[in-house]
Amino acid sequence: FVNFKGRPFMKGFLENHALFLSLFIAIAGLVVLAWGFIPELNEILHLAPFPDDEFRFKIAGLVLSALFGTFLWDRLSTALFAPRIFSAMLEEARTTTIGDLMPVMTTLGKVVIGVLLLVQGNILVLGAAAYMYRQYNKQMDLIAKHKKAQLLGKDVDRQAGTARAG
């Protein structure tokens, strides 16, 4: 994340789902481990419990400040020693719209929901979430097929799943 330059040299940060997914999961893992949401995992990793919430916030703040501090330092170094690359990065950042952030927000939502389900510890909640996810995917597939059929000039009957010439 820190030394990732993005466009125009490679995929942009918003297009690199694996990169920001790993970043979100790492931060979520920090929160889960620091607050001891899954004590068994802390025991497996031989992590001693933190004395209080003040210490937890201090550690989380230090990790996040190190992450963003190194990011800022990298950008400053790029601006000083590679101004053409830095100007290309700024130009690419200027063209970013709110719509470009939707995949990031969707991924963030999935990570938050996943952590909440994991912390919940209830197998029924996990099963219900898996069922709802499968139903959602089926609905998205059906919508995609319908849009494709519309592009091809066919009328699609959603209930029967058959296509007729329009």
Side-chain angles (χ1 to χ4, degrees):
F1 165 72
V2 171
N3 64 357
F4 182 77
K5 300 300 180 226
R7 291 186 166 273
F9 312 103
M10 59 183 78
K11 265 186 178 179
F13 179 72
L14 299 176
E15 299 165 336
N16 193 338
H17 296 286
L19 178 64
F20 62 77
L21 181 62
S22 65
L23 179 66
F24 291 150
I25 289 174
I27 292 171
L30 168 73
V31 170
V32 167
L33 292 173
W35 270 264
F37 289 129
I38 308 172
E40 296 83 14
L41 182 60
N42 285 11
E43 288 176 23
I44 291 170
L45 296 174
H46 299 288
L47 297 176
F50 287 152
D52 56 12
D53 279 343
E54 180 183 345
F55 188 70
R56 288 183 182 101
F57 282 113
K58 185 184 240 181
I59 294 298
L62 286 171
V63 170
L64 292 176
S65 66
L67 179 70
F68 290 109
T70 53
F71 176 79
L72 291 174
W73 182 255
D74 177 72
R75 293 310 185 250
L76 177 66
S77 299
T78 304
L80 291 174
F81 300 114
R84 287 183 1 176
I85 292 174
F86 187 71
S87 65
M89 290 166 48
L90 283 179
E91 184 60 36
E92 196 61 38
R94 283 187 196 108
T95 62
T96 303
T97 63
I98 298 294
D100 296 331
L101 296 175
M102 288 312 294
V104 175
M105 293 301 127
T106 303
T107 302
L108 177 62
K110 289 178 182 177
V111 169
V112 167
I113 289 170
V115 167
L116 290 175
L117 288 174
L118 192 63
V119 171
Q120 173 69 20
N122 188 342
I123 193 73
L124 295 176
V125 173
L126 293 173
Y131 174 77
M132 290 172 54
Y133 182 72
R134 273 189 260 138
Q135 294 301 319
Y136 172 79
N137 281 339
K138 285 180 186 178
Q139 185 179 16
M140 290 297 110
D141 288 342
L142 189 59
I143 290 171
K145 286 179 186 178
H146 183 68
K147 285 182 180 180
K148 183 178 179 181
Q150 281 181 335
L151 289 174
L152 296 174
K154 297 179 180 177
D155 184 24
V156 176
D157 181 3
R158 286 186 179 202
Q159 299 297 333
T162 60
R164 349 180 250 268

